[in-house]
Amino acid sequence: MLAGFRTFAKSPFAVLLFGLLIVSFAIFGISDVFKGPRGSGVISAGSRTMTPQDFKLRFDNYRKAMEQRNGTTITPDQAVEQGVDRQILQELALQESIAAAIHDMGVAPSDKLVGNVVREQMSQLPPTQRPFDPITGKFDSKTYAALLAQNNLTPQAYEASLRDEIAQTHFFTAVADGFKAPRIYAALQGAYGLEARDVGAFAINPASVPRPAPPTDAQLTAFMNENRERLTRPETRVLSIVRISAKALEPSVTPNPADVQKAFDFRKDSLAKPETRSLVQIQAPDLKTAAAMADRLKKGEDPAAVAKAYGKTALVLADKPKTALPDRKVAEAAFSLAAGQSSGAIQGDLGVSVIKVTKVTPGAAATLESVRPQIEAEVRAQAAQSKAYDQTQAYQDAHDAGANLVAAASKAGAMVVTTAPVTAQGADQTGQPVAGLTPEILKTAFGLGQGADSDLIEARKGEYYAVRVEKVIPAAMPPLAEIKPQLTAVWMGQELGKRLKAKADELAARVKKGETLDAVAASAQSKVQHVDGLSRENVQQHMGLGREFLVAAFNAKPGEVFTARAGQQGEAYVVAKLDKVRAAPAADVARASVMLQTQAASGLVRDLGDAARNAAKVQLKTKSNLTLARQAIGVDTDALAKAQGGKAGKKAE
């Protein structure tokens, strides 16, 4: 069964069938099945319930991916404003629905199959991360659990996700194996893509229309009002931020020699270099065979040759301390021998074996001078954390006594930074991100009123911050005088565009009435250019004509005259005519249909997969709780409801 799973996973069907699953698992995380009482979670699909904690984990994964991709921070409130929370909730509802439906059909992998897939996936990790004992090769469950914990997962949750993935793979494999798209589908795609169009067009000469006069202030004011939403600058705030950082304090700390000595005395045993042995170990089937091997080793035979004679492979262990040898009895024997000596038969905890010691490296006691930089760094870090804690206490005492943030920070000896006006996204007035403003700091700052101080908040161990809102600058349009040159340029560009379009429509009307395209172009001091053989197959070669022009050309009927913007930036207006539409040669369509057969089948199977997810959601009557989802990611839903109610009231007015 596992072999079949591997084979299908490499097929073209699998790439398209499960591409969506792979992407959604990477972004949204994995499903933790049968968790929590039914109906108490963010999503309920059949017998499955997603808890608020699960949703928050998936939301945080998606948000981090967005922040890395876009290079900007996004707070939960901003995610709600942009509709990201709804998108994630809808996608997860579909995931849970199809998983629950397939489970209810009885498609469930065995524990053995899941275990095999776990081990196979773990074996693909870098060698230093694989949860396998380096000596015995056995699967190490503790290392496995620790590895998953680094990614906020448990073995139960991870294996539950694998059960879903394997079950869906088997289910859709069966569907794909019995599915074959009709050849006409690929043939139609080939005919559609290879259909060729011949287009003639001429550009409107800007000199042929009168240039607009500069706008008056009244016209610009009206223009600003028409574009109020785009021109309105968001609310910004001037913030004073006090940071107390153990890391930042470290350079100012001089380690006390007595503390350094004390720390060394406490750790010197662990810092000492242990004695090590290099040895060759040969496993034996029984004590009698081991004794024979030992005799040959003592006679000076090569360990590799001895092992080969008995159908075994010699295991070479280099520079291992006693604690690194997994078999206690083998370790005791190895560390009782001198270099070059071999043992007798050893009945160890992990079987029978013989060993030969090839090298002995004596241990060395640690000295303070040999590890002084390391010990001093540790002492310095501890002292800096203590100093940071003292500063927090001094700050808190002063703040509790009535001092504002700046005064309290001064008494504590902490640094205060005052920012220029920043948005809720952490950008300055030029749109550039302001260094040091984390999503947590921004959320705290934009939850305060003008003149208010936040509490002192621990960001992480040894790192604290507090925020004061010095000034709130409400959202507003900039004054006309400030943006008049830029606004004038945009206004005149739009006015010129309107005149060029009107001219294009006027000239197109003449062509529609019977004048030739060449004659009309000549009367407008322009010249017709021809684009022959334009097809959906070669459209990438003609992107310089502009998207609007290409869309219009493919939507036009033979002989139809149309106007459109042209050029990569839509900088020109053209009058065009679709002269001819030519069907692709039958031989070309035949070749294309063969090439597109797999693509057509894959597209249909992908559509079938999407339809199955939606059908499962309807059949199971999957429910999702948007309010609970928002609460899980830290959104104040009561405040949000009031704000949305206020907006609705304004719209109604």
Side-chain angles (χ1 to χ4, degrees):
M1 189 177 287
L2 182 60
F5 178 79
R6 290 175 180 160
T7 301
F8 181 74
K10 297 175 182 177
S11 71
F13 276 120
V15 174
L16 289 163
L17 266 175
F18 307 113
L20 180 60
L21 290 174
I22 293 169
V23 171
S24 62
F25 267 47
I27 293 177
F28 297 106
I30 58 179
S31 301
D32 196 351
V33 297
F34 309 121
K35 191 170 183 181
R38 179 177 171 87
S40 65
V42 174
I43 297 172
S44 296
S47 57
R48 302 164 69 99
T49 299
M50 178 177 290
T51 67
Q53 294 80 6
D54 291 335
F55 181 80
K56 183 179 186 303
L57 175 63
R58 289 156 178 74
F59 174 83
D60 288 342
N61 288 342
Y62 184 82
R63 183 177 69 173
K64 289 175 184 176
M66 283 188 66
E67 290 177 347
Q68 291 176 356
R69 185 168 61 250
N70 301 331
T72 58
T73 58
I74 177 170
T75 66
D77 291 328
Q78 292 162 8
V80 170
E81 184 179 344
Q82 297 171 19
V84 173
D85 59 330
R86 289 180 182 272
Q87 296 172 17
I88 296 175
L89 189 63
Q90 290 169 2
E91 174 60 27
L92 289 174
L94 291 171
Q95 285 187 27
E96 293 295 293
S97 298
I98 191 63
I102 291 176
H103 181 272
D104 291 347
M105 294 176 193
V107 181
S110 67
D111 292 340
K112 181 180 179 181
L113 177 57
V114 173
N116 289 341
V117 174
V118 167
R119 285 165 175 76
E120 183 174 341
Q121 290 190 349
M122 294 298 110
S123 67
Q124 303 303 314
L125 295 173
T128 57
Q129 297 181 19
R130 296 172 189 168
F132 297 97
D133 188 288
I135 305 301
T136 65
K138 291 184 177 180
F139 187 79
D140 187 338
S141 59
K142 291 184 178 179
T143 304
Y144 168 60
L147 177 65
L148 293 176
Q150 294 173 9
N151 295 281
N152 298 319
L153 296 173
T154 64
Q156 295 78 16
Y158 178 63
E159 289 162 21
S161 77
L162 286 180
R163 289 183 187 279
D164 284 348
E165 187 176 358
I166 294 169
Q168 291 178 45
T169 299
H170 287 177
F171 178 80
F172 284 109
T173 298
V175 173
D177 283 347
F179 182 85
K180 185 176 181 180
R183 291 185 179 180
I184 188 62
Y185 282 32
L188 288 172
Q189 287 186 19
Y192 182 73
L194 294 173
E195 177 188 77
R197 295 177 171 239
D198 298 341
V199 183
F202 67 88
I204 305 301
N205 187 343
S208 66
V209 299
R211 190 167 184 81
T216 64
D217 286 356
Q219 288 175 309
L220 288 177
T221 300
F223 186 59
M224 287 180 67
N225 289 328
E226 291 171 7
N227 295 274
R228 177 177 295 276
E229 186 174 342
R230 294 173 59 190
L231 291 173
T232 297
R233 292 173 177 171
E235 176 187 306
T236 56
R237 297 184 172 208
V238 177
L239 310 176
S240 288
I241 305 169
V242 58
R243 292 179 183 272
I244 298 175
S245 167
K247 194 70 177 176
L249 289 170
E250 285 185 21
S252 66
V253 175
T254 301
N256 187 322
D259 292 337
V260 173
Q261 184 65 51
K262 184 178 179 181
F264 171 73
D265 291 340
F266 180 75
R267 292 195 55 203
K268 64 181 179 181
D269 289 341
S270 63
L271 294 170
K273 184 179 180 182
E275 180 180 327
T276 62
R277 292 281 198 278
S278 294
L279 58 123
V280 179
Q281 181 180 11
I282 307 173
Q283 295 287 340
D286 51 52
L287 288 170
K288 183 179 179 180
T289 305
M293 291 178 176
D295 288 341
R296 295 179 65 169
L297 289 176
K298 289 177 181 177
K299 291 177 181 178
E301 290 191 50
D302 180 60
V306 173
K308 186 176 181 181
Y310 291 91
K312 302 293 183 180
T313 301
L315 177 64
V316 179
L317 302 173
D319 299 320
K320 298 293 184 183
K322 190 173 184 179
T323 55
L325 296 176
D327 193 312
R328 176 177 53 85
K329 292 182 180 178
V330 171
E332 290 174 356
F335 278 77
S336 67
L337 299 171
Q341 290 185 330
S342 57
S343 71
I346 304 171
Q347 177 61 66
D349 298 327
L350 301 177
V352 181
S353 63
V354 294
I355 62 171
K356 179 175 182 178
V357 176
T358 57
K359 185 176 74 171
V360 175
T361 304
T367 64
L368 177 57
E369 292 309 312
S370 66
V371 293
R372 181 178 290 278
Q374 176 185 346
I375 297 297
E376 286 186 346
E378 293 174 359
V379 171
R380 184 181 293 108
Q382 292 173 355
Q385 288 181 6
S386 178
K387 188 174 181 180
Y389 178 77
D390 291 341
Q391 282 189 335
T392 64
Q393 295 304 300
Y395 174 89
Q396 198 64 55
D397 290 343
H399 197 263
D400 291 345
N404 64 24
L405 179 142
V406 176
S410 178
K411 290 185 179 181
M415 183 176 65
V416 176
V417 173
T418 300
T419 70
V422 297
T423 66
Q425 290 75 34
D428 60 20
Q429 291 179 317
T430 66
Q432 297 301 310
V434 177
L437 293 182
T438 65
E440 291 75 18
I441 291 177
L442 291 168
K443 183 175 181 179
T444 301
F446 279 79
L448 299 171
Q450 182 166 307
D453 295 350
S454 75
D455 294 330
L456 191 64
I457 299 170
E458 184 176 15
R460 57 185 181 277
K461 186 177 180 180
E463 305 293 323
Y464 309 85
Y465 74 87
V467 183
R468 176 181 175 81
V469 179
E470 300 291 355
K471 185 178 181 181
V472 175
I473 304 169
M477 286 201 301
L480 174 59
E482 184 178 328
I483 61 170
K484 187 173 182 178
Q486 300 92 324
L487 201 63
T488 298
V490 173
W491 185 91
M492 293 189 69
Q494 289 192 6
E495 286 298 310
L496 180 60
K498 291 176 183 177
R499 298 184 182 195
L500 288 172
K501 184 179 185 308
K503 184 69 173 180
D505 291 341
E506 174 192 328
L507 296 174
R510 290 172 55 187
V511 178
K512 291 177 182 178
K513 289 179 180 179
E515 293 187 57
T516 65
L517 192 66
D518 290 295
V520 174
S523 70
Q525 297 84 48
S526 188
K527 186 177 180 181
V528 175
Q529 303 292 327
H530 291 276
V531 180
D532 294 335
L534 176 64
S535 71
R536 293 173 180 85
E537 178 77 12
N538 64 24
V539 71
Q540 290 296 328
Q541 302 171 23
H542 300 283
M543 292 306 294
L545 295 173
R547 177 178 175 77
E548 184 177 321
F549 175 85
L550 291 171
V551 169
F554 282 115
N555 286 335
K557 298 177 181 179
E560 183 177 346
V561 178
F562 60 90
T563 63
R565 285 182 178 272
Q568 292 184 338
Q569 304 299 323
E571 62 272 15
Y573 270 96
V574 298
V575 176
K577 182 179 181 181
L578 180 59
D579 295 322
K580 186 184 298 183
V581 176
R582 291 181 281 113
D588 292 346
V589 173
R591 281 192 293 270
S593 65
V594 172
M595 297 174 61
L596 294 170
Q597 184 69 32
T598 300
Q599 179 181 328
S602 299
L604 287 173
V605 172
R606 183 173 57 248
D607 292 343
L608 182 61
D610 290 340
R613 298 201 314 162
N614 284 292
K617 182 179 178 183
V618 173
Q619 181 180 4
L620 295 174
K621 299 179 180 178
T622 299
K623 294 180 174 60
S624 56
N625 190 327
L626 181 60
T627 299
L628 188 57
R630 288 173 170 174
Q631 291 172 351
I633 62 177
V635 174
D636 187 339
T637 52
D638 291 336
L640 178 64
K642 291 178 182 178
Q644 291 178 338
K647 289 180 180 179
K650 288 180 181 178
K651 288 181 180 179
E653 292 172 6

